[in-house]
Amino acid sequence: MEWDWEFVRQILPQLIDGARITILATVLGFAFAALFGLLIAILRRSQNRALSWPTAAFAEFVRGTPLLVQLYFLFYILPDLGLTLSPLTAGVIGLGIHYGTYTAEVYRAGIDNVARGQWEAAKACNLTAAQTWRHIVLPQAIKPMVPALANYFIAMFKETPLLSAITVLELMNQARSIANYNYRYIEPITMVGAFFLVISLVSVVVIRLMQRHWGRLSRIGSARRDSVMPS
């Protein structure tokens, strides 16, 4: 079967629509995962075992079960329990919860990497817990976290084809529908690979720019902390 550029031109709008949904699901899912993961990391650091133990058990359970099963539960099982989610909403929540348990470990490692003296110095300066987290801990913890969080972002992007299982019309689902309807697979599937490659490369460039930006902010934050911390 020969490559047909005219066919590619015809299917390109549908593939672009699918790519838009893929990017939207990834961005929203990662935003959810970033916030959810931070919540899990904070709860796991709690001295209250009634909070830390169930949180740890939940995180282990989510990491130990396949994302596809979790998506099926959100989309097909929850309606039987009285909660119906749209396909995209279920996909975003599923991605967010699943990858939130992984980003939580990244947060935990970054937070644990902050020297204990920084916490003690913040306490000596009478900073509140919120001020300590915002001005002292997170600015130091974020920079080493960026590469790992970026890897999870790209991994999540590559997992979005699983959303087709819950009828989300993302890129792979659009390509499969086109291929099944026209009995031509080489063009749509090849274009999907090209889309994923281009978007992944663009994401890597953006992430490197973010790393440089956080590096500059971290140096500025360090200078500010040095100016206010007691010697």
Side-chain angles (χ1 to χ4, degrees), residues 88-150:
L88 182 59
T89 301
V92 168
I93 293 174
L95 289 170
I97 291 176
H98 187 82
Y99 278 92
T101 60
Y102 290 96
T103 59
E105 293 303 308
V106 177
Y107 285 126
R108 199 152 66 100
I111 292 168
D112 289 344
N113 194 47
V114 176
R116 184 173 180 81
Q118 297 291 318
W119 298 84
E120 295 172 350
K123 186 176 181 180
C125 290
N126 293 321
L127 297 182
T128 66
Q131 290 173 327
T132 300
W133 280 97
R134 180 180 177 185
H135 299 293
I136 306 299
V137 177
L138 289 181
Q140 296 181 74
I142 284 176
K143 183 182 177 182
M145 285 190 236
V146 172
L149 291 175

Side-chain angles (χ1 to χ4, degrees), residues 27-45:
V27 172
L28 293 179
F30 187 76
F32 189 104
L35 295 174
F36 188 65
L38 181 59
L39 176 63
I40 292 176
I42 292 173
L43 290 177
R44 291 196 66 176
R45 289 179 59 85

Side-chain angles (χ1 to χ4, degrees), residues 48-231:
N48 186 346
R49 292 184 177 180
L51 291 176
S52 61
W53 284 17
T55 301
F58 173 79
E60 291 297 331
F61 173 78
V62 172
R63 284 198 297 266
T65 55
L67 174 57
L68 184 59
V69 173
Q70 296 162 19
L71 292 172
Y72 267 77
F73 178 84
L74 289 171
F75 188 67
Y76 293 109
I77 305 300
L78 283 187
D80 292 338
L81 303 177
L83 179 59
T84 300
L85 302 174
S86 69
L88 182 59
T89 301
V92 168
I93 293 174
L95 289 170
I97 291 176
H98 187 82
Y99 278 92
T101 60
Y102 290 96
T103 59
E105 293 303 308
V106 177
Y107 285 126
R108 199 152 66 100
I111 292 168
D112 289 344
N113 194 47
V114 176
R116 184 173 180 81
Q118 297 291 318
W119 298 84
E120 295 172 350
K123 186 176 181 180
C125 290
N126 293 321
L127 297 182
T128 66
Q131 290 173 327
T132 300
W133 280 97
R134 180 180 177 185
H135 299 293
I136 306 299
V137 177
L138 289 181
Q140 296 181 74
I142 284 176
K143 183 182 177 182
M145 285 190 236
V146 172
L149 291 175
N151 288 336
Y152 283 128
F153 177 84
I154 294 174
M156 181 185 292
F157 171 68
K158 294 177 181 178
E159 292 267 36
T160 53
L162 291 177
L163 300 186
S164 63
I166 56 172
T167 73
V168 177
L169 290 176
E170 44 73 53
L171 183 57
M172 190 63 194
N173 202 6
Q174 288 279 22
R176 186 164 55 233
S177 298
I178 292 169
N180 291 339
Y181 182 79
N182 294 277
Y183 297 101
R184 292 189 67 93
Y185 292 87
I186 183 171
E187 291 91 353
I189 301 303
T190 302
M191 291 298 295
V192 166
F195 269 104
F196 271 94
L197 177 61
V198 170
I199 296 172
S200 295
L201 292 176
V202 171
S203 299
V204 169
V205 171
V206 172
I207 288 163
R208 288 180 178 174
L209 292 175
M210 288 176 60
Q211 285 182 267
R212 294 177 184 176
H213 175 69
W214 280 114
R216 288 195 296 269
L217 290 182
S218 179
R219 289 192 292 271
I220 293 172
S222 296
R224 289 178 178 173
R225 287 191 299 273
D226 292 341
S227 67
V228 299
M229 289 297 179
S231 57

